[in-house]
PDB file of all heavy atoms in Angstrom:
ATOM      1  N   SER A  28     143.292  91.729 150.983  1.00 78.00           N
ATOM      2  CA  SER A  28     142.253  92.216 150.073  1.00 78.00           C
ATOM      3  C   SER A  28     142.777  92.081 148.655  1.00 78.00           C
ATOM      4  O   SER A  28     143.965  92.217 148.402  1.00 78.00           O
ATOM      5  CB  SER A  28     141.899  93.667 150.382  1.00 78.00           C
ATOM      6  OG  SER A  28     143.050  94.472 150.330  1.00 78.00           O
ATOM      7  N   GLY A  29     141.908  91.812 147.732  1.00 65.00           N
ATOM      8  CA  GLY A  29     142.330  91.648 146.348  1.00 65.00           C
ATOM      9  C   GLY A  29     142.938  90.286 146.108  1.00 65.00           C
ATOM     10  O   GLY A  29     142.836  89.378 146.917  1.00 65.00           O
ATOM     11  N   ARG A  30     143.572  90.166 144.973  1.00 63.00           N
ATOM     12  CA  ARG A  30     144.187  88.915 144.569  1.00 63.00           C
ATOM     13  C   ARG A  30     145.666  89.173 144.341  1.00 63.00           C
ATOM     14  O   ARG A  30     146.077  90.293 144.076  1.00 63.00           O
ATOM     15  CB  ARG A  30     143.531  88.389 143.291  1.00 63.00           C
ATOM     16  CG  ARG A  30     142.024  88.307 143.454  1.00 63.00           C
ATOM     17  CD  ARG A  30     141.261  87.193 142.866  1.00 63.00           C
ATOM     18  NE  ARG A  30     141.870  85.993 142.450  1.00 63.00           N
ATOM     19  CZ  ARG A  30     141.738  84.826 143.105  1.00 63.00           C
ATOM     20  NH1 ARG A  30     141.084  84.760 144.214  1.00 63.00           N
ATOM     21  NH2 ARG A  30     142.254  83.746 142.604  1.00 63.00           N
ATOM     22  N   ALA A  31     146.454  88.129 144.441  1.00 59.00           N
ATOM     23  CA  ALA A  31     147.890  88.250 144.201  1.00 59.00           C
ATOM     24  C   ALA A  31     148.122  88.649 142.746  1.00 59.00           C
ATOM     25  O   ALA A  31     147.377  88.253 141.853  1.00 59.00           O
ATOM     26  CB  ALA A  31     148.594  86.938 144.513  1.00 59.00           C
ATOM     27  N   ALA A  32     149.135  89.446 142.517  1.00 50.00           N
ATOM     28  CA  ALA A  32     149.462  89.882 141.160  1.00 50.00           C
ATOM     29  C   ALA A  32     149.931  88.696 140.326  1.00 50.00           C
ATOM     30  O   ALA A  32     150.587  87.798 140.828  1.00 50.00           O
ATOM     31  CB  ALA A  32     150.561  90.947 141.197  1.00 50.00           C
ATOM     32  N   VAL A  33     149.570  88.687 139.062  1.00 53.00           N
ATOM     33  CA  VAL A  33     150.045  87.661 138.142  1.00 53.00           C
ATOM     34  C   VAL A  33     150.920  88.333 137.104  1.00 53.00           C
ATOM     35  O   VAL A  33     150.740  89.502 136.789  1.00 53.00           O
ATOM     36  CB  VAL A  33     148.877  86.903 137.465  1.00 53.00           C
ATOM     37  CG1 VAL A  33     148.101  86.093 138.481  1.00 53.00           C
ATOM     38  CG2 VAL A  33     147.954  87.849 136.740  1.00 53.00           C
ATOM     39  N   SER A  34     151.855  87.581 136.552  1.00 50.00           N
ATOM     40  CA  SER A  34     152.829  88.175 135.639  1.00 50.00           C
ATOM     41  C   SER A  34     152.209  88.669 134.339  1.00 50.00           C
ATOM     42  O   SER A  34     152.805  89.479 133.652  1.00 50.00           O
ATOM     43  CB  SER A  34     153.941  87.174 135.347  1.00 50.00           C
ATOM     44  OG  SER A  34     153.397  86.011 134.746  1.00 50.00           O
ATOM     45  N   THR A  35     151.025  88.201 133.994  1.00 56.00           N
ATOM     46  CA  THR A  35     150.432  88.604 132.720  1.00 56.00           C
ATOM     47  C   THR A  35     149.420  89.729 132.861  1.00 56.00           C
ATOM     48  O   THR A  35     148.841  90.150 131.872  1.00 56.00           O
ATOM     49  CB  THR A  35     149.722  87.400 132.062  1.00 56.00           C
ATOM     50  OG1 THR A  35     148.717  86.926 132.966  1.00 56.00           O
ATOM     51  CG2 THR A  35     150.711  86.302 131.745  1.00 56.00           C
ATOM     52  N   GLY A  36     149.183  90.204 134.064  1.00 57.00           N
ATOM     53  CA  GLY A  36     148.167  91.232 134.254  1.00 57.00           C
ATOM     54  C   GLY A  36     148.703  92.399 135.051  1.00 57.00           C
ATOM     55  O   GLY A  36     149.875  92.453 135.409  1.00 57.00           O
ATOM     56  N   PRO A  37     147.829  93.350 135.335  1.00 59.00           N
ATOM     57  CA  PRO A  37     148.257  94.520 136.100  1.00 59.00           C
ATOM     58  C   PRO A  37     148.545  94.149 137.549  1.00 59.00           C
ATOM     59  O   PRO A  37     148.022  93.170 138.085  1.00 59.00           O
ATOM     60  CB  PRO A  37     147.044  95.445 136.014  1.00 59.00           C
ATOM     61  CG  PRO A  37     145.885  94.534 135.797  1.00 59.00           C
ATOM     62  CD  PRO A  37     146.424  93.394 134.978  1.00 59.00           C
ATOM     63  N   ILE A  38     149.373  94.925 138.176  1.00 56.00           N
ATOM     64  CA  ILE A  38     149.672  94.737 139.591  1.00 56.00           C
ATOM     65  C   ILE A  38     148.654  95.552 140.367  1.00 56.00           C
ATOM     66  O   ILE A  38     148.550  96.766 140.208  1.00 56.00           O
ATOM     67  CB  ILE A  38     151.107  95.186 139.924  1.00 56.00           C
ATOM     68  CG1 ILE A  38     152.099  94.309 139.168  1.00 56.00           C
ATOM     69  CG2 ILE A  38     151.352  95.129 141.430  1.00 56.00           C
ATOM     70  CD1 ILE A  38     153.534  94.738 139.308  1.00 56.00           C
ATOM     71  N   ARG A  39     147.885  94.868 141.203  1.00 57.00           N
ATOM     72  CA  ARG A  39     146.866  95.549 141.988  1.00 57.00           C
ATOM     73  C   ARG A  39     147.489  96.174 143.226  1.00 57.00           C
ATOM     74  O   ARG A  39     148.320  95.559 143.875  1.00 57.00           O
ATOM     75  CB  ARG A  39     145.770  94.573 142.378  1.00 57.00           C
ATOM     76  CG  ARG A  39     145.000  94.091 141.169  1.00 57.00           C
ATOM     77  CD  ARG A  39     143.885  93.143 141.591  1.00 57.00           C
ATOM     78  NE  ARG A  39     143.035  92.831 140.474  1.00 57.00           N
ATOM     79  CZ  ARG A  39     143.249  91.839 139.623  1.00 57.00           C
ATOM     80  NH1 ARG A  39     144.290  91.075 139.769  1.00 57.00           N
ATOM     81  NH2 ARG A  39     142.411  91.634 138.631  1.00 57.00           N
ATOM     82  N   LEU A  40     147.070  97.365 143.541  1.00 59.00           N
ATOM     83  CA  LEU A  40     147.545  98.052 144.720  1.00 59.00           C
ATOM     84  C   LEU A  40     146.416  98.167 145.731  1.00 59.00           C
ATOM     85  O   LEU A  40     145.273  98.435 145.364  1.00 59.00           O
ATOM     86  CB  LEU A  40     148.033  99.463 144.361  1.00 59.00           C
ATOM     87  CG  LEU A  40     149.179  99.545 143.373  1.00 59.00           C
ATOM     88  CD1 LEU A  40     149.483 100.995 143.037  1.00 59.00           C
ATOM     89  CD2 LEU A  40     150.410  98.870 143.935  1.00 59.00           C
ATOM     90  N   SER A  41     146.754  97.996 146.979  1.00 58.00           N
ATOM     91  CA  SER A  41     145.774  98.210 148.033  1.00 58.00           C
ATOM     92  C   SER A  41     145.935  99.656 148.481  1.00 58.00           C
ATOM     93  O   SER A  41     146.965 100.033 149.012  1.00 58.00           O
ATOM     94  CB  SER A  41     146.028  97.245 149.190  1.00 58.00           C
ATOM     95  OG  SER A  41     145.106  97.479 150.214  1.00 58.00           O
ATOM     96  N   LEU A  42     144.923 100.479 148.212  1.00 69.00           N
ATOM     97  CA  LEU A  42     145.015 101.885 148.565  1.00 69.00           C
ATOM     98  C   LEU A  42     144.747 102.119 150.044  1.00 69.00           C
ATOM     99  O   LEU A  42     145.186 103.108 150.601  1.00 69.00           O
ATOM    100  CB  LEU A  42     144.048 102.699 147.703  1.00 69.00           C
ATOM    101  CG  LEU A  42     144.310 102.610 146.197  1.00 69.00           C
ATOM    102  CD1 LEU A  42     143.267 103.410 145.439  1.00 69.00           C
ATOM    103  CD2 LEU A  42     145.711 103.110 145.867  1.00 69.00           C
ATOM    104  N   SER A  43     144.023 101.227 150.663  1.00 84.00           N
ATOM    105  CA  SER A  43     143.781 101.325 152.100  1.00 84.00           C
ATOM    106  C   SER A  43     143.456  99.943 152.643  1.00 84.00           C
ATOM    107  O   SER A  43     143.052  99.058 151.905  1.00 84.00           O
ATOM    108  CB  SER A  43     142.644 102.301 152.396  1.00 84.00           C
ATOM    109  OG  SER A  43     141.460 101.863 151.795  1.00 84.00           O
ATOM    110  N   VAL A  44     143.643  99.802 153.927  1.00 90.00           N
ATOM    111  CA  VAL A  44     143.330  98.555 154.612  1.00 90.00           C
ATOM    112  C   VAL A  44     142.261  98.879 155.648  1.00 90.00           C
ATOM    113  O   VAL A  44     142.436  99.787 156.458  1.00 90.00           O
ATOM    114  CB  VAL A  44     144.587  97.965 155.290  1.00 90.00           C
ATOM    115  CG1 VAL A  44     144.232  96.765 156.143  1.00 90.00           C
ATOM    116  CG2 VAL A  44     145.626  97.587 154.237  1.00 90.00           C
ATOM    117  N   ARG A  45     141.164  98.135 155.601  1.00 91.00           N
ATOM    118  CA  ARG A  45     140.049  98.371 156.529  1.00 91.00           C
ATOM    119  C   ARG A  45     140.404  97.845 157.925  1.00 91.00           C
ATOM    120  O   ARG A  45     140.861  96.719 158.073  1.00 91.00           O
ATOM    121  CB  ARG A  45     138.793  97.685 156.012  1.00 91.00           C
ATOM    122  CG  ARG A  45     137.550  97.957 156.858  1.00 91.00           C
ATOM    123  CD  ARG A  45     136.292  97.396 156.237  1.00 91.00           C
ATOM    124  NE  ARG A  45     136.053  97.849 154.889  1.00 91.00           N
ATOM    125  CZ  ARG A  45     135.496  99.030 154.563  1.00 91.00           C
ATOM    126  NH1 ARG A  45     135.125  99.849 155.507  1.00 91.00           N
ATOM    127  NH2 ARG A  45     135.313  99.355 153.300  1.00 91.00           N
ATOM    128  N   CYS A  46     140.181  98.663 158.933  1.00 93.00           N
ATOM    129  CA  CYS A  46     140.423  98.267 160.318  1.00 93.00           C
ATOM    130  C   CYS A  46     139.455  97.144 160.683  1.00 93.00           C
ATOM    131  O   CYS A  46     138.240  97.293 160.511  1.00 93.00           O
ATOM    132  CB  CYS A  46     140.224  99.459 161.255  1.00 93.00           C
ATOM    133  SG  CYS A  46     140.344  99.026 163.009  1.00 93.00           S
ATOM    134  N   PRO A  47     139.953  96.011 161.195  1.00 93.00           N
ATOM    135  CA  PRO A  47     139.054  94.909 161.542  1.00 93.00           C
ATOM    136  C   PRO A  47     138.236  95.190 162.807  1.00 93.00           C
ATOM    137  O   PRO A  47     137.276  94.489 163.087  1.00 93.00           O
ATOM    138  CB  PRO A  47     140.000  93.730 161.749  1.00 93.00           C
ATOM    139  CG  PRO A  47     141.288  94.358 162.152  1.00 93.00           C
ATOM    140  CD  PRO A  47     141.355  95.670 161.414  1.00 93.00           C
ATOM    141  N   ARG A  48     138.597  96.218 163.547  1.00 92.00           N
ATOM    142  CA  ARG A  48     137.862  96.538 164.776  1.00 92.00           C
ATOM    143  C   ARG A  48     136.707  97.499 164.531  1.00 92.00           C
ATOM    144  O   ARG A  48     135.586  97.251 164.956  1.00 92.00           O
ATOM    145  CB  ARG A  48     138.820  97.105 165.811  1.00 92.00           C
ATOM    146  CG  ARG A  48     139.793  96.032 166.299  1.00 92.00           C
ATOM    147  CD  ARG A  48     140.705  96.531 167.395  1.00 92.00           C
ATOM    148  NE  ARG A  48     141.536  95.455 167.897  1.00 92.00           N
ATOM    149  CZ  ARG A  48     142.658  95.054 167.326  1.00 92.00           C
ATOM    150  NH1 ARG A  48     143.084  95.621 166.215  1.00 92.00           N
ATOM    151  NH2 ARG A  48     143.357  94.060 167.843  1.00 92.00           N
ATOM    152  N   CYS A  49     136.981  98.641 163.855  1.00 94.00           N
ATOM    153  CA  CYS A  49     135.928  99.647 163.680  1.00 94.00           C
ATOM    154  C   CYS A  49     135.475  99.809 162.235  1.00 94.00           C
ATOM    155  O   CYS A  49     134.503 100.496 161.969  1.00 94.00           O
ATOM    156  CB  CYS A  49     136.369 100.998 164.249  1.00 94.00           C
ATOM    157  SG  CYS A  49     137.615 101.855 163.255  1.00 94.00           S
ATOM    158  N   GLY A  50     136.199  99.207 161.290  1.00 92.00           N
ATOM    159  CA  GLY A  50     135.818  99.267 159.889  1.00 92.00           C
ATOM    160  C   GLY A  50     136.321 100.490 159.141  1.00 92.00           C
ATOM    161  O   GLY A  50     136.061 100.648 157.952  1.00 92.00           O
ATOM    162  N   SER A  51     137.058 101.362 159.798  1.00 94.00           N
ATOM    163  CA  SER A  51     137.552 102.579 159.149  1.00 94.00           C
ATOM    164  C   SER A  51     138.604 102.253 158.087  1.00 94.00           C
ATOM    165  O   SER A  51     139.384 101.309 158.230  1.00 94.00           O
ATOM    166  CB  SER A  51     138.167 103.507 160.203  1.00 94.00           C
ATOM    167  OG  SER A  51     138.781 104.628 159.580  1.00 94.00           O
ATOM    168  N   LEU A  52     138.626 103.069 157.043  1.00 93.00           N
ATOM    169  CA  LEU A  52     139.670 102.956 156.023  1.00 93.00           C
ATOM    170  C   LEU A  52     140.806 103.944 156.291  1.00 93.00           C
ATOM    171  O   LEU A  52     141.770 103.996 155.544  1.00 93.00           O
ATOM    172  CB  LEU A  52     139.076 103.208 154.633  1.00 93.00           C
ATOM    173  CG  LEU A  52     138.144 102.104 154.130  1.00 93.00           C
ATOM    174  CD1 LEU A  52     137.464 102.536 152.829  1.00 93.00           C
ATOM    175  CD2 LEU A  52     138.902 100.813 153.917  1.00 93.00           C
ATOM    176  N   ASP A  53     140.695 104.726 157.357  1.00 94.00           N
ATOM    177  CA  ASP A  53     141.724 105.696 157.724  1.00 94.00           C
ATOM    178  C   ASP A  53     142.787 104.986 158.551  1.00 94.00           C
ATOM    179  O   ASP A  53     142.829 105.080 159.775  1.00 94.00           O
ATOM    180  CB  ASP A  53     141.096 106.864 158.498  1.00 94.00           C
ATOM    181  CG  ASP A  53     142.091 107.993 158.745  1.00 94.00           C
ATOM    182  OD1 ASP A  53     143.196 107.964 158.153  1.00 94.00           O
ATOM    183  OD2 ASP A  53     141.762 108.890 159.540  1.00 94.00           O
ATOM    184  N   THR A  54     143.634 104.211 157.852  1.00 94.00           N
ATOM    185  CA  THR A  54     144.677 103.407 158.489  1.00 94.00           C
ATOM    186  C   THR A  54     146.014 103.699 157.845  1.00 94.00           C
ATOM    187  O   THR A  54     146.079 104.243 156.739  1.00 94.00           O
ATOM    188  CB  THR A  54     144.372 101.899 158.375  1.00 94.00           C
ATOM    189  OG1 THR A  54     144.339 101.546 156.983  1.00 94.00           O
ATOM    190  CG2 THR A  54     143.042 101.555 159.036  1.00 94.00           C
ATOM    191  N   ARG A  55     147.080 103.328 158.539  1.00 92.00           N
ATOM    192  CA  ARG A  55     148.423 103.491 157.965  1.00 92.00           C
ATOM    193  C   ARG A  55     149.299 102.321 158.380  1.00 92.00           C
ATOM    194  O   ARG A  55     149.119 101.746 159.458  1.00 92.00           O
ATOM    195  CB  ARG A  55     149.054 104.804 158.385  1.00 92.00           C
ATOM    196  CG  ARG A  55     149.495 104.840 159.822  1.00 92.00           C
ATOM    197  CD  ARG A  55     150.191 106.170 160.179  1.00 92.00           C
ATOM    198  NE  ARG A  55     150.730 106.096 161.523  1.00 92.00           N
ATOM    199  CZ  ARG A  55     151.979 105.738 161.812  1.00 92.00           C
ATOM    200  NH1 ARG A  55     152.831 105.436 160.854  1.00 92.00           N
ATOM    201  NH2 ARG A  55     152.392 105.676 163.063  1.00 92.00           N
ATOM    202  N   GLU A  56     150.239 101.982 157.496  1.00 92.00           N
ATOM    203  CA  GLU A  56     151.190 100.912 157.797  1.00 92.00           C
ATOM    204  C   GLU A  56     152.261 101.462 158.729  1.00 92.00           C
ATOM    205  O   GLU A  56     152.892 102.476 158.427  1.00 92.00           O
ATOM    206  CB  GLU A  56     151.825 100.385 156.511  1.00 92.00           C
ATOM    207  CG  GLU A  56     152.744  99.200 156.744  1.00 92.00           C
ATOM    208  CD  GLU A  56     153.337  98.644 155.470  1.00 92.00           C
ATOM    209  OE1 GLU A  56     154.238  99.305 154.923  1.00 92.00           O
ATOM    210  OE2 GLU A  56     152.886  97.579 155.026  1.00 92.00           O
ATOM    211  N   VAL A  57     152.443 100.810 159.861  1.00 92.00           N
ATOM    212  CA  VAL A  57     153.462 101.201 160.831  1.00 92.00           C
ATOM    213  C   VAL A  57     154.764 100.469 160.530  1.00 92.00           C
ATOM    214  O   VAL A  57     155.846 101.042 160.589  1.00 92.00           O
ATOM    215  CB  VAL A  57     152.989 100.891 162.271  1.00 92.00           C
ATOM    216  CG1 VAL A  57     154.082 101.177 163.284  1.00 92.00           C
ATOM    217  CG2 VAL A  57     151.731 101.682 162.584  1.00 92.00           C
ATOM    218  N   SER A  58     154.646  99.177 160.201  1.00 92.00           N
ATOM    219  CA  SER A  58     155.812  98.356 159.900  1.00 92.00           C
ATOM    220  C   SER A  58     155.416  97.327 158.848  1.00 92.00           C
ATOM    221  O   SER A  58     154.329  96.762 158.929  1.00 92.00           O
ATOM    222  CB  SER A  58     156.304  97.646 161.162  1.00 92.00           C
ATOM    223  OG  SER A  58     157.335  96.725 160.852  1.00 92.00           O
ATOM    224  N   HIS A  59     156.288  97.095 157.886  1.00 88.00           N
ATOM    225  CA  HIS A  59     155.984  96.121 156.835  1.00 88.00           C
ATOM    226  C   HIS A  59     155.910  94.701 157.393  1.00 88.00           C
ATOM    227  O   HIS A  59     155.361  93.816 156.761  1.00 88.00           O
ATOM    228  CB  HIS A  59     157.005  96.215 155.705  1.00 88.00           C
ATOM    229  CG  HIS A  59     156.570  95.520 154.457  1.00 88.00           C
ATOM    230  ND1 HIS A  59     155.440  95.878 153.751  1.00 88.00           N
ATOM    231  CD2 HIS A  59     157.094  94.468 153.796  1.00 88.00           C
ATOM    232  CE1 HIS A  59     155.293  95.079 152.720  1.00 88.00           C
ATOM    233  NE2 HIS A  59     156.280  94.210 152.709  1.00 88.00           N
ATOM    234  N   PHE A  60     156.460  94.489 158.593  1.00 85.00           N
ATOM    235  CA  PHE A  60     156.396  93.176 159.228  1.00 85.00           C
ATOM    236  C   PHE A  60     155.688  93.304 160.564  1.00 85.00           C
ATOM    237  O   PHE A  60     156.022  94.149 161.381  1.00 85.00           O
ATOM    238  CB  PHE A  60     157.791  92.567 159.402  1.00 85.00           C
ATOM    239  CG  PHE A  60     158.458  92.307 158.092  1.00 85.00           C
ATOM    240  CD1 PHE A  60     159.391  93.181 157.592  1.00 85.00           C
ATOM    241  CD2 PHE A  60     158.099  91.201 157.328  1.00 85.00           C
ATOM    242  CE1 PHE A  60     159.988  92.951 156.360  1.00 85.00           C
ATOM    243  CE2 PHE A  60     158.681  90.969 156.102  1.00 85.00           C
ATOM    244  CZ  PHE A  60     159.630  91.846 155.610  1.00 85.00           C
ATOM    245  N   GLY A  61     154.678  92.437 160.768  1.00 83.00           N
ATOM    246  CA  GLY A  61     153.906  92.437 162.005  1.00 83.00           C
ATOM    247  C   GLY A  61     154.355  91.314 162.911  1.00 83.00           C
ATOM    248  O   GLY A  61     155.551  91.040 163.032  1.00 83.00           O
ATOM    249  N   SER A  62     153.381  90.640 163.532  1.00 82.00           N
ATOM    250  CA  SER A  62     153.706  89.574 164.481  1.00 82.00           C
ATOM    251  C   SER A  62     154.388  88.386 163.812  1.00 82.00           C
ATOM    252  O   SER A  62     155.076  87.608 164.464  1.00 82.00           O
ATOM    253  CB  SER A  62     152.450  89.128 165.217  1.00 82.00           C
ATOM    254  OG  SER A  62     151.499  88.616 164.310  1.00 82.00           O
ATOM    255  N   THR A  63     154.184  88.230 162.505  1.00 82.00           N
ATOM    256  CA  THR A  63     154.915  87.238 161.715  1.00 82.00           C
ATOM    257  C   THR A  63     155.291  87.897 160.399  1.00 82.00           C
ATOM    258  O   THR A  63     154.755  88.941 160.033  1.00 82.00           O
ATOM    259  CB  THR A  63     154.068  85.971 161.444  1.00 82.00           C
ATOM    260  OG1 THR A  63     152.917  86.342 160.675  1.00 82.00           O
ATOM    261  CG2 THR A  63     153.639  85.291 162.735  1.00 82.00           C
ATOM    262  N   SER A  64     156.184  87.284 159.659  1.00 80.00           N
ATOM    263  CA  SER A  64     156.663  87.879 158.404  1.00 80.00           C
ATOM    264  C   SER A  64     155.583  87.984 157.339  1.00 80.00           C
ATOM    265  O   SER A  64     155.702  88.782 156.416  1.00 80.00           O
ATOM    266  CB  SER A  64     157.839  87.070 157.864  1.00 80.00           C
ATOM    267  OG  SER A  64     158.912  87.143 158.766  1.00 80.00           O
ATOM    268  N   CYS A  65     154.528  87.180 157.436  1.00 82.00           N
ATOM    269  CA  CYS A  65     153.478  87.232 156.417  1.00 82.00           C
ATOM    270  C   CYS A  65     152.418  88.283 156.735  1.00 82.00           C
ATOM    271  O   CYS A  65     151.447  88.423 156.008  1.00 82.00           O
ATOM    272  CB  CYS A  65     152.845  85.856 156.212  1.00 82.00           C
ATOM    273  SG  CYS A  65     152.241  85.092 157.712  1.00 82.00           S
ATOM    274  N   LYS A  66     152.619  89.043 157.806  1.00 87.00           N
ATOM    275  CA  LYS A  66     151.680  90.097 158.169  1.00 87.00           C
ATOM    276  C   LYS A  66     152.422  91.420 158.305  1.00 87.00           C
ATOM    277  O   LYS A  66     153.619  91.449 158.572  1.00 87.00           O
ATOM    278  CB  LYS A  66     150.982  89.764 159.487  1.00 87.00           C
ATOM    279  CG  LYS A  66     150.082  88.557 159.413  1.00 87.00           C
ATOM    280  CD  LYS A  66     149.341  88.378 160.700  1.00 87.00           C
ATOM    281  CE  LYS A  66     149.670  87.302 161.516  1.00 87.00           C
ATOM    282  NZ  LYS A  66     150.265  86.345 161.993  1.00 87.00           N
ATOM    283  N   ALA A  67     151.695  92.523 158.113  1.00 90.00           N
ATOM    284  CA  ALA A  67     152.225  93.871 158.315  1.00 90.00           C
ATOM    285  C   ALA A  67     151.483  94.490 159.492  1.00 90.00           C
ATOM    286  O   ALA A  67     150.323  94.178 159.744  1.00 90.00           O
ATOM    287  CB  ALA A  67     152.024  94.720 157.060  1.00 90.00           C
ATOM    288  N   LEU A  68     152.150  95.387 160.208  1.00 92.00           N
ATOM    289  CA  LEU A  68     151.536  96.062 161.344  1.00 92.00           C
ATOM    290  C   LEU A  68     150.936  97.377 160.876  1.00 92.00           C
ATOM    291  O   LEU A  68     151.621  98.207 160.271  1.00 92.00           O
ATOM    292  CB  LEU A  68     152.563  96.308 162.452  1.00 92.00           C
ATOM    293  CG  LEU A  68     152.047  97.036 163.691  1.00 92.00           C
ATOM    294  CD1 LEU A  68     150.941  96.224 164.379  1.00 92.00           C
ATOM    295  CD2 LEU A  68     153.196  97.312 164.655  1.00 92.00           C
ATOM    296  N   PHE A  69     149.641  97.561 161.158  1.00 93.00           N
ATOM    297  CA  PHE A  69     148.924  98.774 160.792  1.00 93.00           C
ATOM    298  C   PHE A  69     148.397  99.446 162.047  1.00 93.00           C
ATOM    299  O   PHE A  69     148.314  98.842 163.115  1.00 93.00           O
ATOM    300  CB  PHE A  69     147.747  98.452 159.860  1.00 93.00           C
ATOM    301  CG  PHE A  69     148.117  98.439 158.405  1.00 93.00           C
ATOM    302  CD1 PHE A  69     148.885  97.418 157.878  1.00 93.00           C
ATOM    303  CD2 PHE A  69     147.696  99.457 157.555  1.00 93.00           C
ATOM    304  CE1 PHE A  69     149.224  97.395 156.542  1.00 93.00           C
ATOM    305  CE2 PHE A  69     148.029  99.453 156.219  1.00 93.00           C
ATOM    306  CZ  PHE A  69     148.792  98.414 155.700  1.00 93.00           C
ATOM    307  N   GLU A  70     148.012 100.702 161.873  1.00 94.00           N
ATOM    308  CA  GLU A  70     147.381 101.469 162.939  1.00 94.00           C
ATOM    309  C   GLU A  70     146.150 102.137 162.362  1.00 94.00           C
ATOM    310  O   GLU A  70     146.179 102.654 161.247  1.00 94.00           O
ATOM    311  CB  GLU A  70     148.373 102.516 163.442  1.00 94.00           C
ATOM    312  CG  GLU A  70     147.774 103.614 164.282  1.00 94.00           C
ATOM    313  CD  GLU A  70     148.798 104.669 164.643  1.00 94.00           C
ATOM    314  OE1 GLU A  70     149.169 105.477 163.769  1.00 94.00           O
ATOM    315  OE2 GLU A  70     149.217 104.666 165.802  1.00 94.00           O
ATOM    316  N   CYS A  71     145.065 102.122 163.123  1.00 94.00           N
ATOM    317  CA  CYS A  71     143.834 102.786 162.712  1.00 94.00           C
ATOM    318  C   CYS A  71     143.846 104.191 163.289  1.00 94.00           C
ATOM    319  O   CYS A  71     144.012 104.380 164.491  1.00 94.00           O
ATOM    320  CB  CYS A  71     142.614 102.013 163.211  1.00 94.00           C
ATOM    321  SG  CYS A  71     141.049 102.819 162.782  1.00 94.00           S
ATOM    322  N   ARG A  72     143.664 105.170 162.429  1.00 95.00           N
ATOM    323  CA  ARG A  72     143.635 106.553 162.897  1.00 95.00           C
ATOM    324  C   ARG A  72     142.286 106.919 163.509  1.00 95.00           C
ATOM    325  O   ARG A  72     142.184 107.914 164.224  1.00 95.00           O
ATOM    326  CB  ARG A  72     143.965 107.488 161.738  1.00 95.00           C
ATOM    327  CG  ARG A  72     145.399 107.358 161.270  1.00 95.00           C
ATOM    328  CD  ARG A  72     145.693 108.328 160.138  1.00 95.00           C
ATOM    329  NE  ARG A  72     147.082 108.232 159.748  1.00 95.00           N
ATOM    330  CZ  ARG A  72     147.476 108.125 158.493  1.00 95.00           C
ATOM    331  NH1 ARG A  72     146.609 108.099 157.506  1.00 95.00           N
ATOM    332  NH2 ARG A  72     148.759 108.050 158.213  1.00 95.00           N
ATOM    333  N   ALA A  73     141.256 106.116 163.257  1.00 95.00           N
ATOM    334  CA  ALA A  73     139.928 106.399 163.807  1.00 95.00           C
ATOM    335  C   ALA A  73     139.801 105.897 165.247  1.00 95.00           C
ATOM    336  O   ALA A  73     139.432 106.653 166.141  1.00 95.00           O
ATOM    337  CB  ALA A  73     138.845 105.792 162.930  1.00 95.00           C
ATOM    338  N   CYS A  74     140.119 104.602 165.476  1.00 95.00           N
ATOM    339  CA  CYS A  74     139.970 104.044 166.831  1.00 95.00           C
ATOM    340  C   CYS A  74     141.305 103.949 167.571  1.00 95.00           C
ATOM    341  O   CYS A  74     141.338 103.558 168.729  1.00 95.00           O
ATOM    342  CB  CYS A  74     139.268 102.688 166.780  1.00 95.00           C
ATOM    343  SG  CYS A  74     140.242 101.346 166.053  1.00 95.00           S
TER     344      CYS A  74
END
């Protein structure tokens, strides 16, 4: 979500990640690395 930060502008923060299954924003990062290094593992607190 969002765009990659650029050196001349503000650094955007993702305050929440939407669950791709149920759409909830009540999620948390479990591990900074998921099935590959370019992904993070999250858990949905709703589903």
